[in-house]
Amino acid sequence: PGLSEIEILNTAIRNPINFPFSDKIWGEGRRVAITINDKTRPVPNNKIFPPLLKLLKDVGVKNENIIIIIATGTHLPMPENEHCLLLKKDLTSHYKMVSHDCDDDKKLVYKGITSNGTPVYVNSIFDQADIKIVVGNIEPHHFAGFSGGVKSASIGVCGRNTINHNHALLRDPRSSVGRYEDNPLRRDIEEIGRLIGVDLAFNVILNQKKEILHALWGTPETVM
């Protein structure tokens, strides 16, 4: 593309897809939770987060009301000394950052059940936020069709029982790479996202060199 990575990200932030930005939504008292993928995912967070955090500052959200949750899924929680693997210290020092633990039942909240029978338990800190944002990349996924959208929250900050029940759907032959609209596992992920109340997604598309080719910012469904 003719734009630099920073220009691509800023263009996306300035042009939200299907989301009504207004003072009623944002403000000093609003609590914002942002999910960030753990160290196993190749997401250029140090490029993505600065324009997103600047936007939140510009619309009046205070630093102390922003929490970044590492979306580990069933992976081991990341200790604090590894947070620098995801974001530079000059960013993490200004915001609270915690790692999700899918087995800590005391920090999970039940939100209902999907049409496929998946019981939905989500991280309580994420649940308490007024605005819930997911950050990640969109790429082919071997059984979810594609990564991106609500996936980093629907899987990343939910309980083990939720994740295991969802992943059992991979036995369906339609749960395959590049399949989205009629992929039962991906449809279940979308339904989990609606139950846990994901508001916005900031997603990028990368080339093989992990350079940003495109960015999208808006409601998760329209981003996907």
Side-chain angles (χ1 to χ4, degrees):
L3 301 176
S4 68
E5 291 179 308
I6 297 300
E7 288 171 327
I8 290 170
L9 293 166
N10 285 331
T11 298
I13 282 287
R14 288 194 299 266
N15 297 279
I17 308 170
N18 193 30
F19 189 79
F21 282 78
S22 71
D23 293 338
K24 293 181 181 179
I25 296 170
W26 305 103
E28 290 186 0
R30 305 295 271 172
R31 297 167 298 175
V32 177
I34 309 171
T35 64
I36 183 173
N37 288 316
D38 68 10
K39 60 186 177 182
T40 66
R41 310 294 183 191
V43 182
N45 294 304
N46 284 310
K47 298 174 182 176
I48 298 172
F49 267 77
L52 174 58
L53 294 171
K54 182 181 184 302
L55 170 70
L56 295 178
K57 181 179 179 180
D58 290 346
V59 295
V61 179
K62 293 184 176 180
N63 289 1
E64 58 264 33
N65 287 336
I66 297 172
I67 187 161
I68 300 169
I69 306 174
I70 303 171
T72 54
T74 57
H75 301 164
L76 289 173
M78 288 181 64
E80 190 173 342
N81 64 353
E82 288 188 348
H83 291 182
C84 60
L85 299 176
L86 305 179
L87 287 172
K88 294 177 181 177
K89 286 188 176 180
D90 61 337
L91 285 174
T92 58
S93 61
H94 293 93
Y95 304 93
K96 186 176 181 182
M97 195 170 181
V98 298
S99 190
H100 175 64
D101 183 349
C102 71
D103 294 314
D104 190 349
D105 293 340
K106 293 180 181 178
K107 294 182 181 178
L108 296 175
V109 177
Y110 179 68
K111 301 300 290 183
I113 190 167
T114 70
S115 55
N116 272 312
T118 300
V120 178
Y121 294 87
V122 69
N123 184 289
S124 59
I125 297 174
F126 183 84
D127 183 63
Q128 292 163 10
D130 300 305
I131 300 290
K132 302 173 179 70
I133 301 172
V134 291
V135 169
N137 66 318
I138 300 174
E139 63 181 4
H141 188 280
H142 54 298
F143 57 78
F146 291 92
S147 65
V150 298
K151 185 177 179 295
S152 68
S154 296
I155 302 301
V157 296
C158 283
R160 185 177 293 274
N161 192 22
T162 302
I163 299 166
N164 286 346
H165 200 285
N166 169 265
H167 282 15
L169 294 168
L170 64 82
R171 291 175 293 187
D172 190 302
R174 294 170 297 170
S175 298
S176 59
V177 64
R179 199 161 182 166
Y180 180 77
E181 295 294 346
D182 64 344
N183 183 324
L185 187 143
R186 181 70 207 205
R187 292 296 98 203
D188 196 57
I189 285 173
E190 297 294 334
E191 197 170 342
I192 294 169
R194 289 190 289 272
L195 284 172
I196 63 177
V198 180
D199 296 297
L200 288 159
F202 193 22
N203 283 175
V204 295
I205 298 172
L206 310 174
N207 63 15
Q208 290 182 332
K209 297 178 182 179
K210 306 304 178 187
E211 299 166 330
I212 297 171
L213 295 178
H214 192 49
L216 301 119
W217 163 241
T219 59
E221 295 86 356
T222 49
V223 162
M224 291 304 297

